[in-house]
Amino acid sequence: MKAKPPRFGKRTLHKLHQPHPMAFLAQKGSFFLATLSLLAFVAGTMVGKAGWYQFWASVLGAQENILYTGFVTPIDRVPDYACWGKYGGDIADHTFRQVPQDCLAKLPAYDSHGHQDESANYSVGYNGSYSDGDDFTGSHPGVDIRVPTGTPVRTIAAGVVERVGDDSGFGRFIVVKHPNVPDPNAPSKTTTLHSVYAHLSSSLVEEGDILITGQLIGYSGKSGLVTGAHLHFQVDRDEAPWHPYWPFTASEASAQKLNMWTAVNAGLGSDRVKEYTVHPMLLVQSDFKAMPVTVAQSSSQKRLTFAERAAARRVAANAKPTIVAVASVSSSSAAGTPVAPSVSVIGRSIVVSRIDTLPGSEQKEVVAVEFTHDGQFTGRNWETLRVCLLDADGQRVTTPSSTMRDVVLRTSFGESEFRPGVLKAADFKDGCAAVNMLPRGRRTVIVLAQPYGSLSKPMAYSEN
């Protein structure tokens, strides 16, 4: 019998498990879950740092939609050095936190003279020199405010953090861009300014942060090229070639055999200071009013964007939301039907169209100020200065409009003390107000009314 060939069988050692037909969905789901987790982490970080408004403002590019709400000083409270000295306080050895509460006071109004006094709050003036500290005696582009290390520093107006840096000259510094602010040379127009805060001990903001007026941004110190603790505060014009601006380069100073200190004392670049910067303290003390914003009247209110609704929720969370811009409208439409006031939220600001001007009303816009005085002073007694409001036709305004800006009195030439130094609408009776002024020295005095730019006739010194 013929032998049969051997037979081979097969057997699976490891069973092959095929994936389920729907398994790919689980893999895609893991990918999507990871992607969403990453986005949630990024968004959470941004929101946690800046809040919903700043997050959506950065996403939607709303950083330039910033409304001017007025200026504040870069520092709120400063030590009364005489009071602090009684406790043994010393700006060279102690910090702001070591100043007793009863020795803190509001930052005094800026005085362009007497900066070298050890009790003075301003050590170097605008376009001044380090030798005497007075205004317009050198080329210092800002104002040095004498404060101990750790003094809270705040932004002077709403804006966007443009630069946060540290160099050998300015030390730690912050530059804030302020769009849509009144032009100091023409307050009825808007411009862009850049505020600078230098020689800080620390900063609390980063580039791109959106700030509200008076927001804490850092603490003063003595970083950079300094002789003691202070805040260097300056305001650059938008046309300045860089920010923070300095009026001369090291090579320009070296070419005239000057260092930084002696170049400022010699006034190197003082014309550039006038061209590219503004007097920072006079700016924040001018109290320019918010520019009127017209709100369109219609039967249906404009639908708010997501960012605006987020801003509205942010404002509503505050106990006392601030109305920062008011636009007056007629009490009736062209058809004679009453028009109700409306409220809109723009950025962080509440804009209200207010009905306060009736057709034929006597309210008028104040565009200038007229001074009346006897033309001379003796320097021994207080003089009386009469201040009257004028409209565009040069006529006296007896009932100013609600948008009237305060009248801030300064001297354009000479020196004088004013009481009061700021006149509000309520101070004027039949369009005029009386001010007491005490000229100092024997120089002729010319009074300037800001922000209107009106000048008085000269008041000359008389021996009689």
Side-chain angles (χ1 to χ4, degrees):
M1 174 182 282
K2 186 177 180 180
K4 294 182 179 180
R7 298 179 64 181
F8 297 93
K10 59 181 181 178
R11 185 178 62 179
T12 302
L13 296 177
H14 299 284
K15 186 176 181 181
L16 180 62
H17 294 279
Q18 295 290 340
H20 191 276
M22 303 299 288
F24 74 96
L25 290 179
Q27 296 175 3
K28 286 187 176 182
S30 299
F31 172 76
F32 289 137
L33 181 60
T35 302
L36 289 174
S37 299
L38 178 61
L39 291 175
F41 171 77
V42 174
T45 301
M46 295 177 68
V47 171
K49 171 189 169 184
W52 275 109
Y53 174 75
Q54 293 187 19
F55 169 65
W56 286 110
S58 62
V59 172
L60 301 176
Q63 294 181 347
E64 293 303 316
N65 296 329
I66 296 174
L67 288 184
Y68 165 73
T69 63
F71 288 115
V72 297
T73 56
I75 289 176
D76 182 25
R77 296 192 301 167
V78 295
D80 179 330
Y81 289 101
C83 175
W84 194 21
K86 296 178 182 178
Y87 291 90
D90 187 346
I91 189 174
D93 301 324
H94 301 102
T95 66
F96 181 83
R97 295 188 64 179
Q98 294 173 293
V99 181
Q101 289 295 316
D102 60 347
C103 290
L104 289 175
K106 286 284 187 180
L107 178 68
Y110 182 77
D111 184 352
S112 60
H113 302 282
H115 294 150
Q116 298 304 303
D117 188 336
E118 290 185 358
S119 63
N121 294 107
Y122 304 96
S123 55
V124 182
Y126 174 68
N127 220 351
S129 65
Y130 295 113
S131 57
D132 61 17
D134 290 350
D135 285 6
F136 304 105
T137 58
S139 59
H140 185 255
V143 168
D144 284 350
I145 305 176
R146 185 170 173 264
V147 287
T149 296
T151 301
V153 177
R154 58 185 183 177
T155 179
I156 61 170
V160 181
V161 178
E162 185 175 25
R163 287 191 64 190
V164 178
D166 192 345
D167 64 28
S168 58
F170 286 105
R172 294 186 182 91
F173 67 86
I174 298 171
V175 180
V176 179
K177 180 179 180 180
H178 307 284
N180 311 317
V181 298
D183 188 334
N185 292 338
S188 61
K189 301 179 180 178
T190 60
T191 187
T192 296
L193 298 175
H194 307 255
S195 59
V196 179
Y197 316 81
H199 306 309
L200 304 175
S201 60
S202 62
S203 61
L204 305 177
V205 295
E206 295 184 3
E207 294 178 7
D209 285 355
I210 301 175
L211 307 177
I212 60 175
T213 304
Q215 183 171 333
L216 178 66
I217 59 174
Y219 296 94
S220 68
K222 47 187 176 182
S223 59
L225 189 59
V226 298
T227 58
H230 71 279
L231 172 70
H232 173 90
F233 168 51
Q234 76 179 59
V235 176
D236 298 344
R237 293 188 177 277
D238 201 36
E239 297 79 16
W242 58 81
H243 310 290
Y245 181 72
W246 193 258
F248 57 82
T249 64
S251 59
E252 288 174 330
S254 178
Q256 299 193 28
K257 299 181 179 180
L258 300 171
N259 58 31
M260 193 278 293
W261 307 100
T262 56
V264 168
N265 291 341
L268 181 61
S270 61
D271 290 340
R272 300 175 188 171
V273 173
K274 297 177 183 177
E275 180 180 2
Y276 292 122
T277 69
V278 300
H279 196 307
M281 288 307 301
L282 294 189
L283 174 72
V284 297
Q285 291 176 179
S286 293
D287 194 26
F288 295 113
K289 295 300 182 184
M291 302 300 293
V293 178
T294 302
V295 180
Q297 302 292 324
S298 62
S299 57
S300 60
Q301 181 70 21
K302 168 182 170 290
R303 185 178 180 83
L304 299 179
T305 65
F306 186 91
E308 289 172 337
R309 291 198 301 273
R313 289 193 297 271
R314 188 181 183 91
V315 171
N318 296 329
K320 296 181 180 180
T322 303
I323 298 175
V324 299
V326 177
S328 298
V329 298
S330 171
S331 62
S332 61
S333 65
T337 56
V339 177
S342 64
V343 178
S344 296
V345 177
I346 301 179
R348 294 186 180 185
S349 306
I350 302 176
V351 182
V352 181
S353 61
R354 186 178 65 197
I355 299 176
D356 60 359
T357 304
L358 300 175
S361 170
E362 295 182 357
Q363 287 189 344
K364 293 183 179 180
E365 195 73 27
V366 177
V367 300
V369 170
E370 180 183 49
F371 295 101
T372 305
H373 57 75
D374 60 8
Q376 61 183 14
F377 67 92
T378 63
R380 295 186 295 272
N381 301 309
W382 287 84
E383 305 289 334
T384 299
L385 180 69
R386 187 175 174 82
V387 184
C388 297
L389 307 175
L390 301 178
D391 61 15
D393 298 324
Q395 302 298 315
R396 184 175 300 175
V397 177
T398 57
T399 309
S401 68
S402 60
T403 58
M404 173 188 159
R405 301 186 294 272
D406 294 345
V407 179
V408 182
L409 300 179
R410 299 282 185 267
T411 52
S412 176
F413 191 82
E415 296 181 60
S416 182
E417 180 180 348
F418 300 96
R419 293 184 182 177
V422 178
L423 295 171
K424 300 183 179 296
D427 297 323
F428 291 88
K429 183 177 181 181
D430 294 329
C432 294
V435 175
N436 294 320
M437 61 175 292
L438 181 62
R440 301 186 182 280
R442 299 188 176 188
R443 287 206 306 170
T444 297
V445 173
I446 299 177
V447 182
L448 169 66
Q450 290 285 44
Y452 299 95
S454 300
L455 295 172
S456 71
K457 293 181 179 180
M459 181 181 292
Y461 175 77
S462 173
E463 294 286 351
N464 300 325

